[in-house]
Amino acid sequence: MSDDVEKLKMLHRRLEIEAEAQGLVDVAYTTVDSPVGELLLAATPKGLVRIAYTVEDHDRVLESLAEKLSPRILRSPKRLDLARRELDEYFGNRRKRFDLPLDLSLSRGFRQLVQQHLPDIAYGQTRSYREMAEMVGSPRAVRAVGTACATNPLPVVVPCHRVLRADGSLGGYIGGLAAKTALLELESAA
């Protein structure tokens, strides 16, 4: 590695530390490798706010976070150490439930209600969209449950991949059907 690259890394690290210390970072982000591809992780001071698959276009996701939350966004992996560790444990079959503080501010109303209840589906189990609608007390809101799952800003951690069609087929998934299949296989193998 050249001296210039090392110098830039050191300067960026110093910028991260000073910006965090002065409260200038509203959204910190990093990327991590995983068995379902590279994931973008973003957190506010309240908690993990966004996980994005590569197919969502990480640059577009960051632009959206800047518009919806704050333009003060900085690659600052330190804030995401706990999320990275828990995801590593999950993908290594050493974790079945996430204990991270979450910031659900990207969702509102019924979508947020559904997303709050998705972790109630136990690891390795699945529910239909209809069963999920019944779980949140709105048995006729099957399509709205599908929309809540499709717009889940925290896939993997908020396990929308555990919701299937009534016939047992996969339905859709924000990370693509290959990622949904991989997550379901990971959980069924544990």
Side-chain angles (χ1 to χ4, degrees):
M1 200 174 291
S2 75
D3 287 345
D4 289 342
V5 172
E6 273 305 312
K7 237 183 234 178
L8 280 174
K9 281 186 169 185
M10 190 177 72
L11 286 171
H12 189 275
R13 184 68 194 129
R14 206 160 95 199
L15 173 67
E16 286 175 42
I17 292 168
E18 289 182 19
E20 286 277 0
Q22 294 181 29
L24 298 176
V25 180
D26 293 332
V27 181
Y29 75 94
T30 192
T31 55
V32 296
D33 289 327
S34 81
V36 291
E38 185 178 67
L39 299 172
L40 176 116
L41 310 178
T44 67
K46 291 181 188 172
L48 188 65
V49 72
R50 187 74 166 94
I51 297 176
Y53 285 94
T54 304
V55 297
E56 297 177 77
D57 185 344
H58 291 169
D59 288 337
R60 196 173 332 160
V61 170
L62 290 171
E63 287 172 17
S64 173
L65 291 173
E67 290 170 14
K68 293 177 180 174
L69 298 177
S70 168
R72 298 189 326 177
I73 296 177
L74 182 67
R75 179 182 281 273
S76 186
K78 185 81 177 145
R79 190 186 291 178
L80 294 142
D81 282 350
L82 179 60
R84 182 180 25 237
R85 188 177 69 237
E86 288 199 9
L87 283 166
D88 283 346
E89 292 169 357
Y90 171 79
F91 286 117
N93 286 324
R94 298 184 314 275
R95 173 173 292 279
K96 294 184 176 184
R97 188 170 183 90
F98 291 91
D99 298 318
L100 298 164
L102 302 178
D103 179 345
L104 299 177
S105 63
L106 291 175
S107 295
R108 305 237 186 294
F110 187 76
R111 291 180 185 179
Q112 190 180 81
L113 175 70
V114 171
Q115 293 160 5
Q116 287 171 336
H117 283 275
L118 286 168
D120 296 342
I121 305 172
Y123 181 95
Q125 299 201 355
T126 61
R127 296 288 181 273
S128 70
Y129 291 102
R130 178 170 305 284
E131 290 171 323
M132 195 67 220
E134 290 168 357
M135 282 174 66
V136 297
S138 298
R140 298 170 72 170
V142 177
R143 284 184 181 258
V145 166
T147 301
C149 289
T151 58
N152 176 10
L154 292 164
V156 184
V157 170
V158 175
C160 57
H161 61 276
R162 296 177 188 158
V163 184
L164 307 175
R165 289 185 175 150
D167 66 2
S169 63
L170 293 178
Y173 187 62
I174 196 166
L177 294 183
K180 188 170 188 174
T181 301
L183 294 172
L184 292 171
E185 287 176 358
L186 170 82
E187 293 186 6
S188 68

